[in-house]
Amino acid sequence: MAPQTGSTEKEAKPISAFPQHLTWEEIKIHNGRGQSQQQWLVIDRNVYDVSTFSKLHPGGSRVISHYAGQDATDAFIAFHSDKALVRKYLKSLLIGELAPDQPSFESNKKKSLLEDFRELRCTIEKMGLLKPNYTFFFMIFLHLLVLDIASWLMIWYFGISLVPFLVGMAFFTIAQIQMGWFQHDLGHCSVFRKPKWNRLLQIIVINVLKGLPASWWNHLHNQHHAKPNCFRKDPDLNMHPLLFSLGKTLSVELGKKKKKFMPYNYQHKYFILLAPLALVPFFQLSIFYFAIKRKKWLELLLVVSFNIRVCLMYVPLMGFSNFMVYYWMSRYLESTWFIWVSQMNHIPMNIDYDKNKDWVSTQLHATCNVNQSLFNDWFTGHLNFQIEHHLFPTMPRHNYWKAAPLVKALCDKHGIEYKSKTLLGAFVDILHSLKESGEHWLEAYLHG
């Protein structure tokens, strides 16, 4: 059944052993943990059993499981732009509905905030802000292709003396990071109206041009959007506690348990070097592990073909040793770029376990913006509008700035802080946050 912003569309319910009318308490215990291994969730007052379907979920198995035992209405609406496509999946999963005496919102959710947010979403849809501008995305795609070709032409024409070597490396690095931002758009189905065209071009960009499996990226990134900064549900926090101690709650907990994998009180100093350095082998090892474990043979073949193609393009021009320096230095620079941009919106924000907050509070407590400028938009792939992106993940990035004043007005009305910083200030806040977390860990480790 498709999500409805107004009236609820009724569907014929299959015969089930479960009661037709259910309470929030009954739903809450079916979270896939504890005594019940079943996974139930609520969408628009209808209750669905996703225990088996989660393994088949096109967006990844874990992302849907993260909402087991909870209301997933706003997350469902946010992630699915093609409502007709998802109707066929939901019909067979329907097991009942909330009893008439049950409220539409869980007791810990802010009803007035969610009602206003859903009204805002209707306004955004009417304004056409969820519709892509094909010319914009064509120019994005064209400019990253030009950069990729220019990196090779620089070496082919000028050779491998220092200046063309460094310029070619710069072109290759920029092309790769911009491919990353573009495939991110495709992964969110914000470039084309139909998901299948987004998926197809995403495979071309990330698998063929970048050497990473699309399914691997989607599996991790969808979880991040579903529960940002929620430990054990957001994969972006997996660096805790092996490399870094993140957030006050987790850092104090780690310190009280007397666990020390790294000197966390110095993490604000080693983050600059270690974070991007660790990301490079992590990506390379995890993509092969993921593809082999999940039998993504076509994607694995495309990843291998990317590496072969790049070697055939560059090794004859510069030799194997020079190519290794050229390629891995580019990857390190790209990793550095990616780490700082992706973490400037999240590490300084609230990091904790999942508290099952409403959709708006979940996203806003975990994200902040960076001020708009042409450079900031390009440099970050428009992820400087992280708040708008998280509230409306399928919104095309060229429309974030139009939605921002509407979102800010919503925040002002409900007393929620809408944070926006300078780019440099956002980078510095990463280090300040890591320093504070390290101090919380050290205090708990020594005296907790």
Side-chain angles (χ1 to χ4, degrees):
M1 192 186 76
Q4 302 294 312
T5 54
S7 60
T8 302
E9 179 183 338
K10 298 295 181 182
E11 294 176 340
K13 297 173 177 55
I15 298 174
S16 171
F18 296 99
Q20 182 177 2
H21 290 160
L22 300 163
T23 66
W24 282 113
E25 289 301 316
E26 290 176 295
I27 294 162
K28 189 182 299 184
I29 63 175
H30 292 82
N31 57 13
R33 302 182 299 274
Q35 294 181 344
S36 175
Q37 296 300 308
Q38 292 180 318
Q39 298 176 346
W40 295 2
L41 53 77
V42 177
I43 300 173
D44 198 19
R45 291 191 63 86
N46 289 321
V47 183
Y48 299 91
D49 184 348
V50 297
S51 307
T52 302
F53 175 73
S54 63
K55 299 180 179 64
L56 308 173
H57 183 229
S61 59
R62 291 184 183 176
V63 63
I64 195 170
S65 300
H66 290 339
Y67 275 91
Q70 302 177 10
D71 179 24
T73 302
D74 293 287
F76 177 83
I77 295 172
F79 281 117
H80 301 96
S81 56
D82 191 342
K83 297 176 177 61
L85 178 67
V86 296
R87 282 194 182 99
K88 61 181 182 180
Y89 293 107
L90 288 182
K91 286 183 179 179
S92 61
L93 306 178
L94 187 64
I95 60 170
E97 61 184 15
L98 287 172
D101 63 339
Q102 294 293 297
S104 297
F105 302 94
E106 292 164 279
S107 60
N108 63 319
K109 304 292 177 68
K110 299 178 180 178
K111 179 181 178 182
S112 61
L113 174 60
L114 284 176
E115 288 176 339
D116 285 348
F117 173 73
R118 293 176 185 182
E119 184 176 338
L120 171 61
R121 184 177 178 89
C122 289
T123 300
I124 282 175
E125 289 177 352
K126 290 175 182 177
M127 292 174 65
L129 299 186
L130 299 182
K131 295 179 181 179
N133 182 323
Y134 295 130
T135 302
F136 172 87
F137 284 115
F138 174 76
M139 296 304 296
I140 292 291
F141 187 45
L142 181 63
H143 109 282
L144 63 85
L145 286 179
V146 169
L147 286 166
D148 196 38
I149 294 169
S151 67
W152 182 83
L153 288 175
M154 181 62 62
I155 303 300
W156 175 76
Y157 189 81
F158 293 103
I160 58 171
S161 57
L162 182 61
V163 172
F165 187 87
L166 294 178
V167 172
M169 185 189 300
F171 282 152
F172 187 84
T173 301
I174 297 170
Q176 287 295 308
I177 197 70
Q178 291 297 329
M179 288 177 192
W181 303 149
F182 185 54
Q183 75 80 25
H184 173 259
D185 297 320
L186 293 162
H188 282 291
C189 296
S190 62
V191 177
F192 299 102
R193 299 302 300 274
K194 292 293 183 180
K196 65 178 180 180
W197 297 115
N198 287 284
R199 299 306 183 202
L200 178 61
L201 187 54
Q202 186 190 23
I203 289 174
I204 293 173
V205 175
I206 191 171
N207 289 64
V208 177
L209 299 180
K210 194 164 175 59
L212 299 171
S215 59
W216 165 80
W217 173 268
N218 294 333
H219 171 73
L220 295 175
H221 196 63
N222 286 339
Q223 293 181 71
H224 163 69
H225 270 269
K227 295 289 184 178
N229 280 12
C230 293
F231 187 52
R232 303 197 188 285
K233 290 192 175 183
D234 181 357
D236 285 13
L237 300 182
N238 285 349
M239 66 183 90
H240 173 96
L242 187 60
L243 297 178
F244 304 98
S245 181
L246 302 176
K248 180 178 179 180
T249 300
L250 302 183
S251 297
V252 170
E253 178 185 68
L254 197 65
K256 287 182 176 180
K257 292 180 178 179
K258 308 302 179 184
K259 291 186 177 181
K260 179 182 179 181
F261 298 97
M262 294 288 286
Y264 303 120
N265 47 313
Y266 296 108
Q267 62 184 357
H268 58 291
K269 296 182 178 180
Y270 64 72
F271 174 86
I272 297 173
L273 178 66
L274 183 59
L277 192 63
L279 192 66
V280 174
F282 169 76
F283 271 20
Q284 296 302 316
L285 293 174
S286 64
I287 61 175
F288 287 102
Y289 175 79
F290 178 90
I292 293 171
K293 181 180 179 181
R294 295 176 181 256
K295 300 180 180 180
K296 302 289 184 179
W297 305 123
L298 175 59
E299 291 194 84
L300 183 60
L301 178 64
L302 293 175
V303 169
V304 172
S305 68
F306 163 81
N307 287 282
I308 294 173
R309 174 180 64 82
V310 173
C311 286
L312 292 176
M313 288 175 63
Y314 286 96
V315 171
L317 299 180
M318 60 175 61
F320 185 75
S321 297
N322 286 327
F323 171 67
M324 287 290 98
V325 175
Y326 184 91
Y327 182 80
W328 290 114
M329 275 301 298
S330 296
R331 286 303 192 199
Y332 178 76
L333 293 172
E334 178 197 359
S335 177
T336 302
W337 190 336
F338 174 78
I339 280 285
W340 284 91
V341 169
S342 63
Q343 298 307 310
M344 68 182 182
N345 309 101
H346 296 299
I347 283 183
M349 304 303 290
N350 184 60
I351 298 175
D352 204 338
Y353 291 94
D354 181 22
K355 301 298 184 182
N356 188 21
K357 297 177 181 177
D358 59 80
W359 173 258
V360 182
S361 298
T362 296
Q363 305 304 327
L364 282 164
H365 291 167
T367 57
C368 64
N369 280 3
V370 167
N371 300 340
Q372 183 189 21
S373 71
L374 288 176
F375 175 78
N376 287 353
D377 292 352
W378 173 83
F379 184 78
T380 67
H382 288 81
L383 293 180
N384 49 325
F385 288 98
Q386 194 74 208
I387 292 173
E388 289 69 30
H389 173 54
H390 266 257
L391 289 174
F392 309 100
T394 62
M395 179 183 288
R397 58 161 127 159
H398 52 76
N399 287 331
Y400 292 155
W401 69 275
K402 297 178 183 178
L406 303 177
V407 173
K408 190 175 186 305
L410 177 72
C411 292
D412 290 342
K413 179 179 178 180
H414 291 274
I416 302 174
E417 186 177 8
Y418 181 98
K419 289 187 178 181
S420 187
K421 313 172 182 178
T422 64
L423 183 63
L424 180 60
F427 288 162
V428 171
D429 278 352
I430 294 177
L431 302 182
H432 285 166
S433 178
L434 289 171
K435 186 174 186 294
E436 290 178 3
S437 297
E439 290 171 350
H440 287 307
W441 167 82
L442 184 61
E443 177 67 22
Y445 186 81
L446 296 176
H447 308 293

